[in-house]
Amino acid sequence: MKFFHYRELCAQSFVILSILFLSLDLNAQQYRLQTDTVAKATQLVRSDLTIAAQRPFSQTLSLWGYNLAGPYNKTLNVHLQLNYFNDFAADTQRNDVYLSHRFNRISITQAWIQWKPFKRIDLKLGRLVNRSIFHAKDVDGASVSLSFGDKTRWKTSLYGGRHVTGRPESLDPDQYDIQGRPIELRQNNDRSEFIYGLRSRLSFQGGSGSIGYEKRFTSSSISDERIAATLTGNPTQRTIVSGLMSFHTPSRTLNRGQLNFTWRPNDFFYLRQGFEHIIPIFDASSIFNLFGVAPSQSLTSTAWLGNNERGLEARLWAKSLQEDLNTSDLGSSSTDLRTFGFAIRYNERLNLFGRALRLSPSISFQPGDSQGYSRDQFISRLNARFPLDSVKVLAGSTLLWVGSDIREDSQFVFTHRLGLDFPTSFGVFSLGGVVQTSQYLGNHLSLFGTFETELWL
């Protein structure tokens, strides 16, 4: 869901009219229509003790057209997705520049045409979601993919266009971007950001590997560039190994590295070990880059024992924050911050009065560090899922307790959740509520209502 400026309306309208023209002029084999309606009521206390009460309403309309070149020529598809948003709680503040975006906003989420002129070539044009090693990004542009082989498959994708930044119509009143500004103000940023990149992936029996390159730049010559590689494989039938490396070229830094190893000797047990190295590098224009960032490294271990009826999962983790910026000592310096913790989760499926009841209790604990950077943290959670006639019920409670230190006393937060799904012949209607009680900020209340339906023609 992205905002568009009025000067972009002509170009966006051209894409929509082209999609509609193709849909009406040609004989599509299938159409798919999906709508999502979301309503929310909040009564939240912000960190500055002011009250945020929003009544947002969002309506999303998605349309797909498949095989527009005819039922026997599956080479042309289209997709259009629009979103309408309004906040009924802020009618008296329509002239406020911080809130003006909350009234009768229509945003274009996706609008693209997909064409496959040959079996091995896939072209997309319009506003599309591009998925790469560097996560998904929305682009106003084009992508082309070439693939070869069947059992051993090689696929290369090129993409480029205007990077669609900013988030519209947030349902969270405390959303801010990485620079500390309200995210709604980014819609008025005249500095366009562009992006291009490639990804090449080789898949074979027992594994796959890929490399990726991506660069972002703006009209003011601020740029951000990254190179990454991934590898996944099965050295044996009972083991899985995966890894990722990402290199940030402007800072000449290996900003991210991951290595995971999983051993599963049978269907009832697995053991997973993981290591992660991160140097947080924000967007090129972020002010946080001026102050420098500390690398972090973490080790995780997960063991699971059970089956579909019941299972027990245990996790251990250790993390270090390299305050001396030396990543080679693995957090052993006296100035480095070190934390560790554990978590246990149990799943049980019971038959209660002829109905399936899913219970999932869990606890986790992380003690504070000796430097006073963090305090003791304990989390206890209980979730339950069960049917009640034709209604599906989800209920849960969470307790968060934070220990005391020389500055503050111990604190706790209780969160209670209740969700109801009402399946019907024409869609799914859902109701939900979240109540949160904290020692410091008092009570929070959020109510949700959603309706989702889908139609194939």
Side-chain angles (χ1 to χ4, degrees):
M1 298 181 294
K2 302 294 180 288
F3 285 127
F4 58 92
H5 299 283
Y6 67 90
R7 60 177 176 273
E8 300 173 3
L9 182 60
C10 293
Q12 300 288 358
S13 300
F14 174 77
V15 174
I16 296 175
L17 292 175
S18 299
I19 291 175
L20 295 177
F21 171 77
L22 287 170
S23 301
L24 296 174
D25 185 60
L26 299 174
N27 181 25
Q29 188 178 19
Q30 267 188 326
Y31 289 102
R32 177 186 173 193
L33 177 65
Q34 185 180 47
T35 65
D36 294 286
T37 305
V38 180
K40 181 179 179 182
T42 66
Q43 192 77 17
L44 304 177
V45 182
R46 296 191 182 98
S47 57
D48 60 357
L49 301 184
T50 60
I51 301 297
Q54 291 187 358
R55 303 294 182 265
F57 172 85
S58 178
Q59 176 70 58
T60 300
L61 174 67
S62 302
L63 174 65
W64 288 265
Y66 301 103
N67 313 330
L68 295 183
Y72 304 104
N73 190 357
K74 302 178 181 180
T75 63
L76 193 63
N77 303 316
V78 299
H79 178 44
L80 172 65
Q81 184 168 327
L82 301 174
N83 182 268
Y84 167 80
F85 179 87
N86 193 54
D87 187 353
F88 294 98
D91 287 337
T92 60
Q93 299 170 307
R94 289 179 178 269
N95 296 324
D96 192 321
V97 295
Y98 290 91
L99 300 173
S100 61
H101 69 284
R102 294 188 176 274
F103 306 99
N104 297 322
R105 299 295 304 190
I106 297 179
S107 57
I108 298 178
T109 308
Q110 297 186 61
W112 48 258
I113 301 175
Q114 181 186 36
W115 180 41
K116 295 182 178 181
F118 303 100
K119 180 181 178 181
R120 305 294 184 180
I121 299 179
D122 187 346
L123 303 174
K124 271 189 178 181
L125 177 66
R127 171 160 290 185
L128 51 97
V129 179
N130 180 76
R131 293 175 173 84
S132 67
I133 298 178
F134 310 96
H135 306 294
K137 295 182 178 66
D138 295 288
V139 176
D140 283 339
S143 70
V144 55
S145 300
L146 297 87
S147 59
F148 301 95
D150 296 314
K151 292 184 178 180
T152 299
R153 184 177 176 85
W154 175 61
K155 182 178 181 180
T156 298
S157 302
L158 303 171
Y159 56 92
R162 189 180 71 89
H163 185 205
V164 184
T165 60
R167 304 175 189 174
E169 62 262 4
S170 169
L171 297 180
D172 187 347
D174 289 323
Q175 286 279 356
Y176 290 86
D177 71 2
I178 197 63
Q179 300 185 53
R181 296 180 300 175
I183 55 176
E184 293 84 2
L185 296 185
R186 297 192 67 178
Q187 63 173 305
N188 298 320
N189 191 350
D190 294 330
R191 185 181 63 199
S192 296
E193 184 175 271
F194 300 93
I195 183 173
Y196 65 86
L198 66 88
R199 181 183 184 182
S200 186
R201 179 183 179 89
L202 179 65
S203 303
F204 50 89
Q205 185 177 5
S208 65
S210 62
I211 59 173
Y213 168 82
E214 186 173 280
K215 182 170 184 177
R216 290 184 293 167
F217 60 94
T218 66
S219 54
S220 59
S221 300
I222 298 177
S223 64
D224 189 77
E225 186 178 49
R226 300 173 194 250
I227 303 172
T230 66
L231 178 66
T232 302
N234 299 94
T236 67
Q237 292 183 346
R238 299 298 183 180
T239 58
I240 302 174
V241 178
S242 63
L244 179 146
M245 294 180 63
S246 175
F247 186 79
H248 188 254
T249 57
S251 61
R252 299 180 181 180
T253 301
L254 182 68
N255 66 292
R256 187 176 181 185
Q258 282 182 313
L259 181 63
N260 296 285
F261 174 79
T262 302
W263 175 53
R264 186 163 190 167
N266 53 58
D267 294 336
F268 307 103
F269 176 80
Y270 73 75
L271 179 65
R272 179 179 296 124
Q273 306 288 335
F275 172 77
E276 185 175 43
H277 163 82
I278 295 178
I279 299 179
I281 298 174
F282 303 105
D283 291 344
S285 59
S286 174
I287 61 174
F288 284 95
N289 290 325
L290 299 176
F291 304 101
V293 289
S296 66
Q297 295 170 326
S298 60
L299 285 169
T300 59
S301 181
T302 303
W304 179 86
L305 177 65
N307 51 34
N308 291 332
E309 298 298 323
R310 61 185 57 87
L312 179 65
E313 181 188 74
R315 293 187 295 116
L316 299 172
W317 64 85
K319 184 174 181 179
S320 64
L321 191 65
Q322 316 290 341
E323 286 294 324
D324 59 356
L325 305 182
N326 181 13
T327 59
S328 60
D329 62 3
L330 299 178
S332 60
S333 173
S334 60
T335 60
D336 294 337
L337 303 175
R338 295 173 295 276
T339 60
F340 68 93
F342 71 90
I344 299 175
R345 179 170 63 92
Y346 179 73
N347 291 324
E348 176 76 26
R349 180 174 181 174
L350 303 173
N351 289 321
L352 188 64
F353 303 109
R355 301 183 183 278
L357 172 63
R358 281 280 189 181
L359 290 176
S360 180
S362 64
I363 60 171
S364 66
F365 179 71
Q366 178 173 292
D369 61 272
S370 58
Q371 295 92 333
Y373 178 76
S374 63
R375 294 187 283 169
D376 296 342
Q377 301 175 41
F378 173 80
I379 299 176
S380 175
R381 181 179 290 115
L382 175 63
N383 291 325
R385 297 173 182 266
F386 57 92
L388 187 63
D389 291 331
S390 61
V391 181
K392 297 180 180 179
V393 181
L394 168 64
S397 293
T398 301
L399 165 65
L400 167 62
W401 175 83
V402 180
S404 61
D405 60 9
I406 59 175
R407 297 181 300 272
E408 296 183 82
D409 296 330
S410 61
Q411 299 176 10
F412 68 87
V413 178
F414 277 106
T415 302
H416 307 286
R417 302 171 298 279
L418 178 64
L420 304 174
D421 287 344
F422 301 88
T424 67
S425 59
F426 50 87
V428 178
F429 178 65
S430 301
L431 292 174
V434 178
V435 178
Q436 189 177 82
T437 302
S438 67
Q439 234 175 341
Y440 178 64
L441 293 179
N443 299 322
H444 306 279
L445 174 64
S446 296
L447 300 175
F448 304 85
T450 67
F451 177 73
E452 181 178 349
T453 185
E454 184 173 290
L455 177 66
W456 287 81
L457 302 174

